[in-house]
């Protein structure tokens, strides 16, 4: 930031400029100063934090500041943040856990609303200057201002739905009155961020400016040169309940297919709130408090808040003290290798990509271009991203790279051949990583002169959508390699899960029994669509048959057979008809035909003619839980939180249930063990409960 007052306030002192109240701030989280034109500048700077959040103590101080401003009201009040990270990330989510009843939540929210309402009622012309992230409660605070200016690059949004909630500081009312209410509802129902230019188009901000123009923008408001947009005809029509009812019917139809209300109650509650109280100001805000308090105490919200903290913990794992990666070299431009290279290039790293088949490299470049389109990158941004990806037909990038990622077929001998070529060419300090999905690293390190630099980086398909990367360690890895690998995962905006080397690591080891059991049911004559419906009804993003097709039937068969061999598990043998599909090249989505036929990236399905067996859900789900328990007991993962985070972010395990181990806790550990024993009696020893269930408290 270049604004002089912000430079001064970064030390919590005002040392220059025509500012009154010079000297150290009397507040912990705010600083208030006035210029000679009777413009007050209120700057948000939460103490001992890298980002602003609205906590109880922050709002208490704001209330005291409002007292001062009510007594001595300036002509205008500028609200902005000192933090480089942005305006405000929203409410302090850690305080949610202390609210154990709806009454407690209502009381706390009511006090917070009183502060926000008083701020809105100040007679001064209020101007919010928004930079970086302005989310949740931060955006609700900005909405109380008369004018909002976004610094170029700002992003605004209401992500509360991702926590099983909706806005709770008056945002449901103020946003639907400020902009097109249908657009406002879409923002809140999807939880997606709105970037600067779209925010201006919607009327969410009055203009997008550069930092150097802040003072001029404030001056223009004070002098009356900035015109506010008035209510549009559509907004006026939506003030009638019949018009809202028509709109909400469409919202329900569109929203509930992705977020069934029995699993995710927040969208339903938000739609009802606007339908009943839209445009009614204080009445809607009062109803919002009660609705938010109720949602906060649902299992869905509690579990989604838990997932938020799991994500933050995984992000913390990526903040390692290590040199950053600047150049990545990928060996193998197949489905995974090409996508890994493309994603690294998309994230701004220099990437060289080698494959003996040049058409695979061309395909990887094409997919990266499509990703740029999907992510709404401009032509110039797309050009820069594509320039990051360098076709390397001679494999020369090895010697220049900080990290070499091998993504060749899952055969130990093929990978050893790659390492024999790569290792002598690695520069000093470079890391050698494998994207193996299941082969233990002790098998891969054989023959390496320096196995300390080998690490597993197991990405998931599709790379651009799946946030997890398993960082696989082994007994000879160095701390330096491990730390740098973790940091790299954070560099490319992915979540690292630390796992020890073992067949299948965690995710594939837990996912494979789930997929194989679905194939056994198919073998028994159960319809594919009926099997998938059982999983989707439970809350999975897709059923196991569709998932197997999407992952690739060849990969599923390979991992299953490897686990059967290496773990000597009692998992049933892979059906011969499934192997035949693979032999015929019917691999699923990537070949256009597997168990389902795929058109335009989607499987063609029929409505099931019959339902799945009564115990189908347990047959699918409990082997997954059992495998997670085994991985915890054997030390493949450190704890239940790691297992839950990895399964949610690596497989999409029903988020509102909090993860497989959280689900087991909620169901009762002893009950899970007994249900496994019952399945073992009916269907065989593959369901025998792991010994770890007896030791779990």
């Amino acid at each position: 930031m270049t604004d002089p007052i912000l430079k001064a306030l970064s030390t919590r002192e005002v040392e220059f400029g025509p500012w009154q109240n010079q000297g150290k701030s009397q507040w912990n989280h705010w600083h208030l100063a006035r210029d000679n034109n009777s413009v007050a500048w209120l700057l948000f700077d939460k103490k001992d934090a890298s980002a602003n959040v609205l906590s109880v103590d922050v709002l208490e101080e704001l209330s005291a500041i409002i007292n001062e401003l009510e007594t001595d009201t300036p002509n205008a009040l500028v609200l902005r943040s000192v933090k480089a990270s942005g305006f405000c990330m929203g409410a302090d989510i850690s305080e949610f856990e202390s609210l154990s009843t709806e009454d407690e939540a209502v009381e706390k929210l009511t006090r917070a609303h009183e502060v926000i309402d008083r701020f809105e009622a100040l007679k001064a012309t209020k101007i919010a200057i928004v930079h970086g992230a302005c989310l949740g409660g931060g955006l609700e605070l900005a909405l109380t201002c008369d004018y909002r200016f976004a610094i170029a690059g700002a992003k605004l949004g209401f992500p509360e739905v991702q926590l099983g909630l909706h806005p709770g500081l008056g945002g449901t009312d103020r946003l639907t009155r400020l902009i097109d209410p249908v657009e406002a509802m879409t923002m809140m129902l999807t939880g997606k961020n709105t970037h600067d230019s779209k925010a201006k188009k919607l009327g969410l901000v009055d203009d997008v400016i550069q930092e150097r123009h802040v003072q001029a923008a404030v001056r223009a408001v004070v002098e009356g040169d900035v015109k506010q947009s008035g209510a549009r005809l559509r907004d006026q029509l939506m003030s009638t309940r019949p018009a809202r009812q028509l709109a909400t019917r469409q919202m329900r139809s569109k929203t509930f297919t992705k977020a069934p209300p029995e699993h995710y109650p927040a969208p339903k509650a938000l739609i009802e709130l606007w339908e009943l109280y839209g445009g009614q100001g204080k009445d809607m805000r009062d109803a919002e408090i009660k609705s938010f308090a109720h949602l906060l105490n649902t299992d869905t919200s509690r579990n989604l808040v838990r997932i938020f903290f799991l994500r933050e913990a995984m992000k913390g794992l990526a903040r390692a003290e290590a040199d950053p990666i600047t150049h990545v070299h990928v060996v193998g431009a197949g489905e995974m290798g090409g996508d890994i290279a493309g994603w690294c290039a998309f994230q701004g790293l220099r990437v060289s990509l080698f494959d003996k088949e040049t058409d695979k490299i061309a395909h990887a470049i094409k997919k990266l271009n499509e990703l740029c389109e999907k992510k709404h990158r401009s032509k110039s941004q797309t050009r820069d991203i594509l320039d990051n990806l360098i076709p390397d037909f001679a494999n020369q990038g090895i010697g220049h790279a900080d990290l070499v990622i091998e993504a060749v077929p899952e055969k130990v001998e093929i990978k050893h051949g790659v390492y024999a070529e790569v290792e002598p060419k690695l520069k000093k300090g470079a890391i050698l990583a494998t994207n193996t999905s299941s082969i233990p690293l002790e098998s891969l390190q054989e023959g390496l002169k320096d196995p300390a630099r080998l690490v597993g980086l197991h990405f998931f398909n599709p790379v651009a959508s799946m946030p997890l990367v398993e960082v696989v360690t082994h007994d000879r890895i160095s701390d330096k390699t491990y730390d740098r690998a973790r940091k790299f995962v954070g560099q490319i905006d992915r979540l690292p899960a630390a796992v020890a080397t073992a067949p299948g690591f965690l995710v594939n080891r837990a996912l494979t029994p789930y997929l194989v059991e679905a194939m056994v049911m198919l073998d028994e004559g159960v319809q594919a669509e009926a099997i998938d419906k059982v999983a989707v009804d439970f809350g999975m993003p897709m059923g196991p048959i569709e998932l197997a097709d999407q992952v690739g039937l060849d990969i599923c068969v390979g991992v299953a057979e490897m686990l059967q061999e290496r773990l000597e598990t009692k998992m049933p043998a892979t059906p011969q008809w499934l192997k035949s599909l693979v032999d015929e090249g019917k691999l699923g989505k990537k070949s256009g035909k597997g168990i389902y036929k795929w058109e335009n990236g989607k499987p063609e399905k029929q409505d099931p003619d019959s339902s799945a067996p009564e115990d189908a859900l347990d047959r699918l789900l409990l082997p997954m839980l059992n495998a997670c328990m085994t991985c915890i007991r054997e030390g493949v993962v450190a704890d239940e939180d790691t297992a839950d985070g990895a399964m949610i972010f690596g497989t999409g395990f029903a988020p509102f249930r909090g993860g497989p181990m959280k689900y087991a806790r909620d169901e009762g550990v002893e009950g899970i063990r007994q249900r496994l024993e019952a399945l073992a009696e009916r269907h065989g020893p593959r369901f025998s409960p792991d010994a770890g269930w007896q030791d779990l408290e």
Side-chain angles (χ1 to χ4, degrees):
M1 298 179 195
T2 57
D3 194 293
I5 189 170
L6 294 184
K7 286 185 176 179
L9 288 175
S10 65
T11 60
R12 296 187 179 274
E13 293 188 15
V14 181
E15 299 172 345
F16 52 84
W19 311 101
Q20 301 172 18
N21 299 341
Q22 295 187 7
K24 210 152 184 88
S25 172
Q26 60 180 307
W27 316 108
N28 287 319
H29 309 297
W30 302 89
H31 194 106
L32 180 65
R34 301 175 188 244
D35 64 21
N36 291 337
N37 297 314
S38 192
V39 175
W41 293 71
L42 178 60
L43 291 105
F44 191 3
D45 184 17
K46 184 166 174 61
K47 187 177 180 181
D48 299 327
S50 60
N52 288 328
V53 292
L54 293 176
S55 55
V56 169
D57 53 342
V58 164
L59 290 172
E60 286 176 348
E61 283 195 358
L62 180 59
S63 180
I65 291 169
I66 294 169
N67 291 340
E68 180 178 322
L69 293 170
E70 288 172 337
T71 302
D72 184 9
T73 306
N75 290 336
L77 173 66
V78 181
L79 173 67
R80 69 170 314 181
S81 159
V82 173
K83 304 292 188 187
S85 57
F87 184 79
C88 178
M89 297 299 291
D92 186 345
I93 298 171
S94 65
E95 295 182 345
F96 289 1
E97 296 177 326
S98 65
L99 303 174
S100 57
T101 68
E102 287 188 33
D103 288 343
E104 289 177 356
V106 166
E107 181 183 356
K108 183 173 181 178
L109 282 166
T110 299
R111 291 201 303 269
H113 269 246
E114 289 170 353
V115 175
I116 298 298
D117 290 350
R118 285 178 57 215
F119 185 82
E120 183 179 43
L122 284 171
K123 300 301 182 184
T125 300
K126 296 175 294 300
I127 308 160
I129 307 294
V130 174
H131 76 277
C134 178
L135 307 175
L139 180 52
E140 290 178 288
L141 179 59
L143 287 174
T144 64
C145 293
D146 304 291
Y147 298 87
R148 282 160 300 281
F149 293 96
I151 303 297
K155 59 179 181 179
L156 303 88
F158 285 114
E160 287 88 347
V161 71
Q162 298 169 17
L163 300 176
L165 302 167
H166 55 57
L169 271 180
T172 61
D173 166 51
R174 292 187 175 96
L175 186 66
T176 50
R177 285 191 290 115
L178 176 68
I179 67 173
D180 180 333
V182 174
E183 292 280 3
M185 290 293 290
T186 300
M187 275 186 66
M188 293 185 285
L189 287 169
T190 63
K192 293 180 179 178
N193 292 332
T194 300
H195 291 271
D196 49 15
S197 58
K198 186 176 180 182
K200 181 182 178 182
K201 184 178 179 181
L202 291 174
L204 185 54
V205 299
D206 296 283
D207 203 357
V208 179
I209 60 175
Q210 298 295 326
E211 180 67 42
R212 63 184 180 274
H213 297 147
V214 168
Q215 301 248 14
V218 171
R219 192 179 311 115
V221 170
V222 173
E223 294 174 356
D225 293 336
V226 179
K227 183 180 178 181
Q228 290 178 299
S229 58
R232 290 158 291 192
L233 178 60
R234 179 179 171 86
D235 305 350
Q236 294 169 352
L237 287 173
M238 286 298 173
S239 66
T240 67
R241 187 167 178 180
R244 293 199 303 276
Q245 288 175 328
L246 179 62
T248 54
R249 276 199 293 270
Q250 296 173 331
M251 288 178 191
R252 288 186 175 97
S253 175
K254 187 174 182 179
T255 302
F256 293 172
T257 55
K258 294 183 178 180
E262 63 269 24
H263 295 162
Y264 298 97
K268 178 175 182 286
L270 175 59
I271 291 170
E272 289 177 352
L273 191 64
W274 181 62
E275 182 179 23
L276 293 172
Y277 300 100
Q280 297 181 35
K282 185 69 164 59
D283 288 344
M284 186 167 179
R285 297 200 296 275
D286 289 344
E288 175 195 88
I289 291 174
K290 295 177 183 177
S291 177
F292 187 98
H294 172 72
L295 291 170
L296 189 62
N297 285 278
T298 60
D299 289 340
T300 293
S301 181
R302 295 292 186 192
N303 283 331
L304 292 177
V305 168
R306 176 174 181 266
I307 290 170
F308 171 85
F309 287 111
L310 291 180
R311 180 189 287 271
E312 291 303 301
M314 295 169 88
K315 286 181 179 178
L317 189 65
R319 290 191 282 271
E321 291 293 329
D323 293 332
I325 300 295
T326 58
H327 183 170
V328 177
H329 180 72
V330 180
V331 178
E335 191 76 19
M336 289 300 294
D339 285 357
I340 292 168
W343 182 253
C344 292
F346 185 83
Q347 293 298 325
L349 298 182
R350 180 181 175 86
V351 184
S352 47
L353 176 60
F354 166 76
D355 198 287
K356 293 178 180 178
E357 300 179 40
T358 57
D359 59 325
K360 288 185 176 180
I361 296 178
H363 183 63
I365 294 170
K366 178 184 175 184
K367 288 185 72 175
L368 178 56
N369 188 63
E370 292 170 352
L371 177 64
C372 291
E373 284 186 28
K374 184 178 179 181
K375 297 288 187 180
H376 306 293
R377 295 301 186 264
S378 67
K379 288 183 178 180
S380 62
Q381 289 172 324
T382 298
R383 184 171 57 250
D384 291 342
I385 290 170
L386 291 173
D387 284 347
N388 290 334
L389 183 57
I390 306 164
D392 183 2
F393 304 114
N395 217 7
Q396 293 178 335
I398 296 171
H400 303 285
D402 305 303
L403 168 65
V404 175
I405 301 176
E406 162 269 303
V408 299
E410 288 286 273
K411 301 289 184 182
V412 173
E413 59 274 15
I414 295 177
K415 293 180 183 293
H416 280 166
V418 170
Y419 302 161
E421 179 180 357
V422 168
E423 188 179 27
K425 300 177 183 178
L426 290 174
K427 71 179 186 180
K428 184 177 180 181
I431 300 172
L432 173 61
T434 174
N435 182 52
T436 180
S437 59
S438 56
I439 302 173
L441 267 64
E442 55 261 37
S443 299
L444 297 180
Q445 68 179 241
E446 295 173 3
L448 286 175
K449 293 182 179 179
D450 185 9
R453 70 191 344 176
L454 177 69
V455 66
L457 290 176
H458 178 211
F459 289 78
F460 294 85
N461 187 28
V463 174
S465 301
M466 300 301 290
L468 185 78
V469 176
E470 286 182 312
V471 180
V472 189
T473 62
H474 56 96
D475 58 352
R476 300 176 71 181
I477 190 174
S478 70
D479 291 342
K480 185 175 181 181
T481 297
Y482 175 56
D483 291 344
R484 204 172 187 196
R486 288 187 289 132
K487 182 160 188 172
F488 162 72
V489 174
Q491 280 183 258
I492 59 170
D493 192 28
R494 286 294 172 259
L495 300 172
V499 300
T501 182
F505 315 130
L506 169 71
V507 172
N508 277 345
R509 188 166 172 180
L511 192 62
T512 301
Y514 168 76
L515 299 178
V516 169
E517 193 62 30
M519 301 303 166
V520 172
M521 288 188 197
L522 270 179
D523 223 15
E524 294 171 355
V526 183
Q527 195 174 358
E529 288 87 347
I531 297 169
D532 278 351
K533 185 177 185 302
V534 169
V536 171
D537 287 349
F538 174 77
M540 297 297 197
M542 67 181 70
I545 306 298
E546 182 179 342
L547 179 59
D549 258 1
Q550 180 156 299
V551 169
L553 298 183
D554 53 336
I555 294 174
C556 293
V557 169
V559 173
E561 292 185 340
M562 184 279 300
L563 289 177
Q564 289 159 358
E565 176 187 347
R566 291 178 179 268
L567 294 176
E568 298 181 354
T569 65
K570 300 182 177 71
M571 193 163 50
T574 307
Q576 184 57 48
W577 60 263
L578 184 59
K579 294 180 182 179
S580 297
L581 283 180
V582 173
D583 291 341
E584 294 166 12
K586 297 175 181 177
L587 309 180
K589 181 180 179 180
K590 59 188 173 184
S591 67
K593 180 75 170 69
I595 298 172
Y596 293 119
K597 182 179 179 182
W598 290 73
E599 289 287 345
N600 299 318
K602 294 184 178 181
E604 293 184 355
K605 291 188 177 185
Q606 302 173 354
D607 292 332
D609 298 328
S610 58
S611 59
E614 285 188 11
D615 63 357
L617 179 60
D618 274 1
R619 285 180 63 181
L620 292 172
L621 192 66
L622 296 195
M624 180 189 293
L625 272 60
N626 211 29
C628 287
M629 183 69 259
T630 302
C631 287
I632 293 168
R633 178 177 56 79
E634 293 180 349
V636 177
V637 291
D639 49 39
E640 294 175 45
D641 283 353
T642 304
D644 281 344
M647 293 302 290
I648 289 167
F649 298 119
T651 74
F653 184 94
F656 69 95
R657 297 192 186 275
M661 296 308 295
K662 177 62 165 55
Y663 172 75
R665 292 281 191 181
D666 290 343
E667 290 288 295
V669 170
E670 179 59 22
I672 294 293
R673 192 182 66 79
Q674 291 175 0
R675 283 155 63 184
L676 280 164
E677 287 180 341
L679 288 174
E681 289 180 9
R682 288 197 298 273
H683 300 289
R686 66 182 181 274
F687 292 103
S688 298
D690 185 84
W693 294 112
Q694 291 183 327
D695 300 328
L696 204 62
E697 296 179 0

